[in-house]
PDB file of all heavy atoms in Angstrom:
ATOM      1  N   ALA A 134       4.024   0.120  16.626  1.00  0.00           N
ATOM      2  CA  ALA A 134       3.970   0.298  15.183  1.00  0.00           C
ATOM      3  C   ALA A 134       4.508   1.668  14.722  1.00  0.00           C
ATOM      4  O   ALA A 134       4.866   1.886  13.653  1.00  0.00           O
ATOM      5  CB  ALA A 134       2.669   0.119  14.533  1.00  0.00           C
ATOM      6  N   TYR A 135       4.570   2.591  15.765  1.00  0.00           N
ATOM      7  CA  TYR A 135       4.976   3.994  15.395  1.00  0.00           C
ATOM      8  C   TYR A 135       6.360   4.215  15.824  1.00  0.00           C
ATOM      9  O   TYR A 135       6.924   5.420  15.493  1.00  0.00           O
ATOM     10  CB  TYR A 135       3.986   4.949  16.025  1.00  0.00           C
ATOM     11  CG  TYR A 135       2.653   4.762  15.343  1.00  0.00           C
ATOM     12  CD1 TYR A 135       1.575   4.040  16.015  1.00  0.00           C
ATOM     13  CD2 TYR A 135       2.315   5.276  14.105  1.00  0.00           C
ATOM     14  CE1 TYR A 135       0.307   3.844  15.419  1.00  0.00           C
ATOM     15  CE2 TYR A 135       1.078   5.075  13.536  1.00  0.00           C
ATOM     16  CZ  TYR A 135       0.106   4.361  14.215  1.00  0.00           C
ATOM     17  OH  TYR A 135      -1.146   4.199  13.604  1.00  0.00           O
ATOM     18  N   ARG A 136       6.986   3.401  16.663  1.00  0.00           N
ATOM     19  CA  ARG A 136       8.290   3.576  17.172  1.00  0.00           C
ATOM     20  C   ARG A 136       9.306   3.019  16.254  1.00  0.00           C
ATOM     21  O   ARG A 136       9.079   2.068  15.524  1.00  0.00           O
ATOM     22  CB  ARG A 136       8.402   2.980  18.591  1.00  0.00           C
ATOM     23  CG  ARG A 136       7.325   3.330  19.476  1.00  0.00           C
ATOM     24  CD  ARG A 136       7.362   4.668  19.973  1.00  0.00           C
ATOM     25  NE  ARG A 136       6.305   4.996  20.942  1.00  0.00           N
ATOM     26  CZ  ARG A 136       6.192   6.001  21.682  1.00  0.00           C
ATOM     27  NH1 ARG A 136       7.096   6.946  21.593  1.00  0.00           N
ATOM     28  NH2 ARG A 136       5.137   6.122  22.486  1.00  0.00           N
ATOM     29  N   ASP A 137      10.493   3.629  16.266  1.00  0.00           N
ATOM     30  CA  ASP A 137      11.722   3.084  15.548  1.00  0.00           C
ATOM     31  C   ASP A 137      11.463   3.033  14.028  1.00  0.00           C
ATOM     32  O   ASP A 137      11.953   2.111  13.386  1.00  0.00           O
ATOM     33  CB  ASP A 137      12.081   1.798  16.127  1.00  0.00           C
ATOM     34  CG  ASP A 137      12.469   1.891  17.607  1.00  0.00           C
ATOM     35  OD1 ASP A 137      13.075   2.838  17.956  1.00  0.00           O
ATOM     36  OD2 ASP A 137      12.104   0.977  18.367  1.00  0.00           O
ATOM     37  N   ARG A 138      10.641   3.881  13.528  1.00  0.00           N
ATOM     38  CA  ARG A 138      10.511   3.964  12.058  1.00  0.00           C
ATOM     39  C   ARG A 138      10.262   5.418  11.744  1.00  0.00           C
ATOM     40  O   ARG A 138       9.949   6.214  12.561  1.00  0.00           O
ATOM     41  CB  ARG A 138       9.451   3.051  11.496  1.00  0.00           C
ATOM     42  CG  ARG A 138       7.998   3.249  12.035  1.00  0.00           C
ATOM     43  CD  ARG A 138       7.092   2.052  11.660  1.00  0.00           C
ATOM     44  NE  ARG A 138       7.703   0.803  11.748  1.00  0.00           N
ATOM     45  CZ  ARG A 138       8.051   0.097  12.897  1.00  0.00           C
ATOM     46  NH1 ARG A 138       7.575   0.537  14.008  1.00  0.00           N
ATOM     47  NH2 ARG A 138       8.525  -1.069  12.859  1.00  0.00           N
ATOM     48  N   VAL A 139      10.403   5.755  10.443  1.00  0.00           N
ATOM     49  CA  VAL A 139      10.349   7.161  10.005  1.00  0.00           C
ATOM     50  C   VAL A 139       9.208   7.353   9.086  1.00  0.00           C
ATOM     51  O   VAL A 139       8.969   6.474   8.179  1.00  0.00           O
ATOM     52  CB  VAL A 139      11.687   7.529   9.339  1.00  0.00           C
ATOM     53  CG1 VAL A 139      11.650   9.027   8.935  1.00  0.00           C
ATOM     54  CG2 VAL A 139      12.843   7.303  10.207  1.00  0.00           C
ATOM     55  N   PHE A 140       8.436   8.356   9.216  1.00  0.00           N
ATOM     56  CA  PHE A 140       7.322   8.719   8.469  1.00  0.00           C
ATOM     57  C   PHE A 140       7.513   9.937   7.563  1.00  0.00           C
ATOM     58  O   PHE A 140       8.144  10.832   8.010  1.00  0.00           O
ATOM     59  CB  PHE A 140       6.081   8.981   9.294  1.00  0.00           C
ATOM     60  CG  PHE A 140       5.498   7.712  10.064  1.00  0.00           C
ATOM     61  CD1 PHE A 140       6.170   7.236  11.127  1.00  0.00           C
ATOM     62  CD2 PHE A 140       4.275   7.140   9.471  1.00  0.00           C
ATOM     63  CE1 PHE A 140       5.645   6.114  11.749  1.00  0.00           C
ATOM     64  CE2 PHE A 140       3.854   6.043  10.165  1.00  0.00           C
ATOM     65  CZ  PHE A 140       4.504   5.484  11.261  1.00  0.00           C
ATOM     66  N   ALA A 141       6.913   9.875   6.379  1.00  0.00           N
ATOM     67  CA  ALA A 141       6.858  11.066   5.409  1.00  0.00           C
ATOM     68  C   ALA A 141       5.515  11.322   5.018  1.00  0.00           C
ATOM     69  O   ALA A 141       4.766  10.288   4.905  1.00  0.00           O
ATOM     70  CB  ALA A 141       7.801  10.945   4.301  1.00  0.00           C
TER      71      ALA A 141
END
Side-chain angles (χ1 to χ4, degrees):
Y135 297 99
R136 309 292 180 165
D137 301 321
R138 59 196 36 80
V139 183
F140 289 76

